[in-house]
PDB file of all heavy atoms in Angstrom:
ATOM      1  N   THR S  27     -37.331 257.957 304.914  1.00 95.00           N
ATOM      2  CA  THR S  27     -37.708 257.013 303.859  1.00 95.00           C
ATOM      3  C   THR S  27     -36.525 256.801 302.930  1.00 95.00           C
ATOM      4  O   THR S  27     -35.584 257.612 302.911  1.00 95.00           O
ATOM      5  CB  THR S  27     -38.932 257.529 303.067  1.00 95.00           C
ATOM      6  OG1 THR S  27     -39.333 256.538 302.122  1.00 95.00           O
ATOM      7  CG2 THR S  27     -38.615 258.827 302.336  1.00 95.00           C
ATOM      8  N   ARG S  28     -36.572 255.733 302.159  1.00 94.00           N
ATOM      9  CA  ARG S  28     -35.467 255.475 301.240  1.00 94.00           C
ATOM     10  C   ARG S  28     -35.927 254.613 300.080  1.00 94.00           C
ATOM     11  O   ARG S  28     -36.918 253.888 300.168  1.00 94.00           O
ATOM     12  CB  ARG S  28     -34.295 254.807 301.963  1.00 94.00           C
ATOM     13  CG  ARG S  28     -34.613 253.475 302.610  1.00 94.00           C
ATOM     14  CD  ARG S  28     -33.464 252.992 303.476  1.00 94.00           C
ATOM     15  NE  ARG S  28     -32.298 252.641 302.699  1.00 94.00           N
ATOM     16  CZ  ARG S  28     -31.080 252.427 303.210  1.00 94.00           C
ATOM     17  NH1 ARG S  28     -30.893 252.586 304.519  1.00 94.00           N
ATOM     18  NH2 ARG S  28     -30.083 252.088 302.448  1.00 94.00           N
ATOM     19  N   ARG S  29     -35.191 254.706 298.985  1.00 96.00           N
ATOM     20  CA  ARG S  29     -35.409 253.890 297.798  1.00 96.00           C
ATOM     21  C   ARG S  29     -34.048 253.430 297.283  1.00 96.00           C
ATOM     22  O   ARG S  29     -33.053 254.164 297.413  1.00 96.00           O
ATOM     23  CB  ARG S  29     -36.102 254.697 296.692  1.00 96.00           C
ATOM     24  CG  ARG S  29     -37.510 255.178 297.006  1.00 96.00           C
ATOM     25  CD  ARG S  29     -38.510 254.034 296.994  1.00 96.00           C
ATOM     26  NE  ARG S  29     -39.879 254.534 297.114  1.00 96.00           N
ATOM     27  CZ  ARG S  29     -40.452 254.920 298.242  1.00 96.00           C
ATOM     28  NH1 ARG S  29     -39.764 254.882 299.368  1.00 96.00           N
ATOM     29  NH2 ARG S  29     -41.698 255.361 298.259  1.00 96.00           N
ATOM     30  N   PRO S  30     -33.972 252.270 296.682  1.00 95.00           N
ATOM     31  CA  PRO S  30     -32.712 251.887 296.055  1.00 95.00           C
ATOM     32  C   PRO S  30     -32.432 252.764 294.834  1.00 95.00           C
ATOM     33  O   PRO S  30     -33.359 253.150 294.112  1.00 95.00           O
ATOM     34  CB  PRO S  30     -32.939 250.422 295.657  1.00 95.00           C
ATOM     35  CG  PRO S  30     -34.422 250.273 295.572  1.00 95.00           C
ATOM     36  CD  PRO S  30     -35.009 251.222 296.566  1.00 95.00           C
ATOM     37  N   THR S  31     -31.179 253.098 294.621  1.00 94.00           N
ATOM     38  CA  THR S  31     -30.800 253.849 293.428  1.00 94.00           C
ATOM     39  C   THR S  31     -30.865 252.919 292.221  1.00 94.00           C
ATOM     40  O   THR S  31     -30.195 251.879 292.212  1.00 94.00           O
ATOM     41  CB  THR S  31     -29.372 254.411 293.567  1.00 94.00           C
ATOM     42  OG1 THR S  31     -29.304 255.215 294.743  1.00 94.00           O
ATOM     43  CG2 THR S  31     -28.998 255.246 292.351  1.00 94.00           C
ATOM     44  N   PRO S  32     -31.671 253.240 291.203  1.00 94.00           N
ATOM     45  CA  PRO S  32     -31.790 252.341 290.042  1.00 94.00           C
ATOM     46  C   PRO S  32     -30.448 252.117 289.353  1.00 94.00           C
ATOM     47  O   PRO S  32     -29.675 253.056 289.156  1.00 94.00           O
ATOM     48  CB  PRO S  32     -32.756 253.100 289.123  1.00 94.00           C
ATOM     49  CG  PRO S  32     -33.558 253.961 290.039  1.00 94.00           C
ATOM     50  CD  PRO S  32     -32.594 254.388 291.111  1.00 94.00           C
ATOM     51  N   ARG S  33     -30.201 250.883 288.994  1.00 91.00           N
ATOM     52  CA  ARG S  33     -28.965 250.516 288.301  1.00 91.00           C
ATOM     53  C   ARG S  33     -29.238 250.344 286.814  1.00 91.00           C
ATOM     54  O   ARG S  33     -30.276 249.821 286.418  1.00 91.00           O
ATOM     55  CB  ARG S  33     -28.408 249.205 288.860  1.00 91.00           C
ATOM     56  CG  ARG S  33     -28.005 249.277 290.325  1.00 91.00           C
ATOM     57  CD  ARG S  33     -26.659 249.925 290.473  1.00 91.00           C
ATOM     58  NE  ARG S  33     -26.151 249.843 291.842  1.00 91.00           N
ATOM     59  CZ  ARG S  33     -24.967 250.289 292.205  1.00 91.00           C
ATOM     60  NH1 ARG S  33     -24.168 250.831 291.302  1.00 91.00           N
ATOM     61  NH2 ARG S  33     -24.581 250.213 293.465  1.00 91.00           N
ATOM     62  N   GLY S  34     -28.279 250.749 285.991  1.00 90.00           N
ATOM     63  CA  GLY S  34     -28.402 250.551 284.559  1.00 90.00           C
ATOM     64  C   GLY S  34     -29.573 251.282 283.943  1.00 90.00           C
ATOM     65  O   GLY S  34     -30.094 250.865 282.906  1.00 90.00           O
ATOM     66  N   ALA S  35     -30.009 252.374 284.563  1.00 93.00           N
ATOM     67  CA  ALA S  35     -31.176 253.114 284.104  1.00 93.00           C
ATOM     68  C   ALA S  35     -30.743 254.469 283.558  1.00 93.00           C
ATOM     69  O   ALA S  35     -29.607 254.916 283.774  1.00 93.00           O
ATOM     70  CB  ALA S  35     -32.160 253.307 285.246  1.00 93.00           C
ATOM     71  N   ASP S  36     -31.668 255.135 282.846  1.00 95.00           N
ATOM     72  CA  ASP S  36     -31.351 256.467 282.355  1.00 95.00           C
ATOM     73  C   ASP S  36     -31.542 257.492 283.483  1.00 95.00           C
ATOM     74  O   ASP S  36     -32.007 257.170 284.582  1.00 95.00           O
ATOM     75  CB  ASP S  36     -32.201 256.819 281.129  1.00 95.00           C
ATOM     76  CG  ASP S  36     -33.701 256.846 281.420  1.00 95.00           C
ATOM     77  OD1 ASP S  36     -34.095 256.996 282.594  1.00 95.00           O
ATOM     78  OD2 ASP S  36     -34.476 256.698 280.457  1.00 95.00           O
ATOM     79  N   GLY S  37     -31.154 258.750 283.189  1.00 96.00           N
ATOM     80  CA  GLY S  37     -31.160 259.774 284.224  1.00 96.00           C
ATOM     81  C   GLY S  37     -32.520 260.037 284.811  1.00 96.00           C
ATOM     82  O   GLY S  37     -32.662 260.224 286.024  1.00 96.00           O
ATOM     83  N   ASP S  38     -33.552 260.043 283.978  1.00 96.00           N
ATOM     84  CA  ASP S  38     -34.897 260.317 284.484  1.00 96.00           C
ATOM     85  C   ASP S  38     -35.396 259.195 285.384  1.00 96.00           C
ATOM     86  O   ASP S  38     -36.112 259.437 286.362  1.00 96.00           O
ATOM     87  CB  ASP S  38     -35.866 260.524 283.322  1.00 96.00           C
ATOM     88  CG  ASP S  38     -35.681 261.869 282.648  1.00 96.00           C
ATOM     89  OD1 ASP S  38     -35.099 262.775 283.278  1.00 96.00           O
ATOM     90  OD2 ASP S  38     -36.101 262.017 281.486  1.00 96.00           O
ATOM     91  N   THR S  39     -35.027 257.962 285.058  1.00 97.00           N
ATOM     92  CA  THR S  39     -35.437 256.840 285.895  1.00 97.00           C
ATOM     93  C   THR S  39     -34.757 256.906 287.259  1.00 97.00           C
ATOM     94  O   THR S  39     -35.379 256.622 288.294  1.00 97.00           O
ATOM     95  CB  THR S  39     -35.110 255.507 285.204  1.00 97.00           C
ATOM     96  OG1 THR S  39     -35.785 255.456 283.946  1.00 97.00           O
ATOM     97  CG2 THR S  39     -35.544 254.326 286.050  1.00 97.00           C
ATOM     98  N   VAL S  40     -33.482 257.303 287.266  1.00 96.00           N
ATOM     99  CA  VAL S  40     -32.799 257.488 288.544  1.00 96.00           C
ATOM    100  C   VAL S  40     -33.490 258.588 289.345  1.00 96.00           C
ATOM    101  O   VAL S  40     -33.746 258.438 290.554  1.00 96.00           O
ATOM    102  CB  VAL S  40     -31.311 257.827 288.336  1.00 96.00           C
ATOM    103  CG1 VAL S  40     -30.643 258.150 289.684  1.00 96.00           C
ATOM    104  CG2 VAL S  40     -30.582 256.666 287.668  1.00 96.00           C
ATOM    105  N   PHE S  41     -33.834 259.682 288.678  1.00 97.00           N
ATOM    106  CA  PHE S  41     -34.480 260.775 289.409  1.00 97.00           C
ATOM    107  C   PHE S  41     -35.857 260.371 289.916  1.00 97.00           C
ATOM    108  O   PHE S  41     -36.321 260.913 290.929  1.00 97.00           O
ATOM    109  CB  PHE S  41     -34.606 262.039 288.542  1.00 97.00           C
ATOM    110  CG  PHE S  41     -35.148 263.198 289.329  1.00 97.00           C
ATOM    111  CD1 PHE S  41     -34.341 263.888 290.216  1.00 97.00           C
ATOM    112  CD2 PHE S  41     -36.486 263.560 289.234  1.00 97.00           C
ATOM    113  CE1 PHE S  41     -34.842 264.922 290.994  1.00 97.00           C
ATOM    114  CE2 PHE S  41     -37.004 264.592 289.999  1.00 97.00           C
ATOM    115  CZ  PHE S  41     -36.170 265.279 290.877  1.00 97.00           C
ATOM    116  N   ALA S  42     -36.510 259.431 289.242  1.00 97.00           N
ATOM    117  CA  ALA S  42     -37.823 258.994 289.706  1.00 97.00           C
ATOM    118  C   ALA S  42     -37.757 258.476 291.140  1.00 97.00           C
ATOM    119  O   ALA S  42     -38.715 258.626 291.914  1.00 97.00           O
ATOM    120  CB  ALA S  42     -38.390 257.929 288.768  1.00 97.00           C
ATOM    121  N   ALA S  43     -36.611 257.857 291.517  1.00 97.00           N
ATOM    122  CA  ALA S  43     -36.458 257.394 292.903  1.00 97.00           C
ATOM    123  C   ALA S  43     -36.416 258.581 293.864  1.00 97.00           C
ATOM    124  O   ALA S  43     -36.979 258.534 294.966  1.00 97.00           O
ATOM    125  CB  ALA S  43     -35.189 256.556 293.031  1.00 97.00           C
ATOM    126  N   VAL S  44     -35.761 259.669 293.438  1.00 97.00           N
ATOM    127  CA  VAL S  44     -35.730 260.878 294.257  1.00 97.00           C
ATOM    128  C   VAL S  44     -37.150 261.448 294.396  1.00 97.00           C
ATOM    129  O   VAL S  44     -37.584 261.839 295.482  1.00 97.00           O
ATOM    130  CB  VAL S  44     -34.789 261.926 293.640  1.00 97.00           C
ATOM    131  CG1 VAL S  44     -34.769 263.196 294.494  1.00 97.00           C
ATOM    132  CG2 VAL S  44     -33.374 261.367 293.484  1.00 97.00           C
ATOM    133  N   ALA S  45     -37.875 261.461 293.272  1.00 98.00           N
ATOM    134  CA  ALA S  45     -39.244 261.988 293.292  1.00 98.00           C
ATOM    135  C   ALA S  45     -40.138 261.171 294.216  1.00 98.00           C
ATOM    136  O   ALA S  45     -41.000 261.727 294.915  1.00 98.00           O
ATOM    137  CB  ALA S  45     -39.815 262.004 291.874  1.00 98.00           C
ATOM    138  N   GLU S  46     -39.959 259.859 294.242  1.00 98.00           N
ATOM    139  CA  GLU S  46     -40.745 259.017 295.138  1.00 98.00           C
ATOM    140  C   GLU S  46     -40.447 259.344 296.603  1.00 98.00           C
ATOM    141  O   GLU S  46     -41.355 259.371 297.447  1.00 98.00           O
ATOM    142  CB  GLU S  46     -40.455 257.547 294.861  1.00 98.00           C
ATOM    143  CG  GLU S  46     -41.030 257.040 293.551  1.00 98.00           C
ATOM    144  CD  GLU S  46     -40.677 255.586 293.309  1.00 98.00           C
ATOM    145  OE1 GLU S  46     -40.139 254.935 294.233  1.00 98.00           O
ATOM    146  OE2 GLU S  46     -40.933 255.092 292.195  1.00 98.00           O
ATOM    147  N   VAL S  47     -39.184 259.595 296.907  1.00 98.00           N
ATOM    148  CA  VAL S  47     -38.809 259.958 298.275  1.00 98.00           C
ATOM    149  C   VAL S  47     -39.469 261.281 298.662  1.00 98.00           C
ATOM    150  O   VAL S  47     -40.048 261.413 299.753  1.00 98.00           O
ATOM    151  CB  VAL S  47     -37.269 260.044 298.400  1.00 98.00           C
ATOM    152  CG1 VAL S  47     -36.861 260.780 299.680  1.00 98.00           C
ATOM    153  CG2 VAL S  47     -36.660 258.642 298.396  1.00 98.00           C
ATOM    154  N   VAL S  48     -39.414 262.265 297.772  1.00 98.00           N
ATOM    155  CA  VAL S  48     -40.052 263.556 298.055  1.00 98.00           C
ATOM    156  C   VAL S  48     -41.558 263.375 298.234  1.00 98.00           C
ATOM    157  O   VAL S  48     -42.167 263.923 299.155  1.00 98.00           O
ATOM    158  CB  VAL S  48     -39.754 264.564 296.931  1.00 98.00           C
ATOM    159  CG1 VAL S  48     -40.576 265.851 297.125  1.00 98.00           C
ATOM    160  CG2 VAL S  48     -38.270 264.896 296.884  1.00 98.00           C
ATOM    161  N   GLY S  49     -42.155 262.572 297.366  1.00 97.00           N
ATOM    162  CA  GLY S  49     -43.590 262.345 297.462  1.00 97.00           C
ATOM    163  C   GLY S  49     -44.007 261.712 298.767  1.00 97.00           C
ATOM    164  O   GLY S  49     -45.037 262.074 299.351  1.00 97.00           O
ATOM    165  N   GLU S  50     -43.216 260.757 299.249  1.00 97.00           N
ATOM    166  CA  GLU S  50     -43.553 260.112 300.521  1.00 97.00           C
ATOM    167  C   GLU S  50     -43.413 261.092 301.684  1.00 97.00           C
ATOM    168  O   GLU S  50     -44.251 261.116 302.597  1.00 97.00           O
ATOM    169  CB  GLU S  50     -42.664 258.893 300.744  1.00 97.00           C
ATOM    170  CG  GLU S  50     -43.064 258.091 301.965  1.00 97.00           C
ATOM    171  CD  GLU S  50     -42.396 256.727 302.048  1.00 97.00           C
ATOM    172  OE1 GLU S  50     -42.035 256.169 300.971  1.00 97.00           O
ATOM    173  OE2 GLU S  50     -42.234 256.228 303.159  1.00 97.00           O
ATOM    174  N   LEU S  51     -42.369 261.937 301.644  1.00 97.00           N
ATOM    175  CA  LEU S  51     -42.230 262.944 302.693  1.00 97.00           C
ATOM    176  C   LEU S  51     -43.394 263.931 302.649  1.00 97.00           C
ATOM    177  O   LEU S  51     -43.919 264.344 303.697  1.00 97.00           O
ATOM    178  CB  LEU S  51     -40.904 263.698 302.532  1.00 97.00           C
ATOM    179  CG  LEU S  51     -39.620 262.885 302.730  1.00 97.00           C
ATOM    180  CD1 LEU S  51     -38.398 263.763 302.458  1.00 97.00           C
ATOM    181  CD2 LEU S  51     -39.539 262.289 304.122  1.00 97.00           C
ATOM    182  N   ALA S  52     -43.800 264.306 301.439  1.00 97.00           N
ATOM    183  CA  ALA S  52     -44.882 265.293 301.283  1.00 97.00           C
ATOM    184  C   ALA S  52     -46.216 264.775 301.803  1.00 97.00           C
ATOM    185  O   ALA S  52     -47.108 265.561 302.150  1.00 97.00           O
ATOM    186  CB  ALA S  52     -45.013 265.683 299.814  1.00 97.00           C
TER     187      ALA S  52
END
Side-chain angles (χ1 to χ4, degrees):
T27 185
R28 60 189 292 167
R29 296 288 188 281
T31 303
R33 297 280 188 177
D36 62 21
D38 285 340
T39 301
V40 175
F41 185 76
V44 179
E46 288 178 9
V47 165
V48 172
E50 186 168 333
L51 295 177

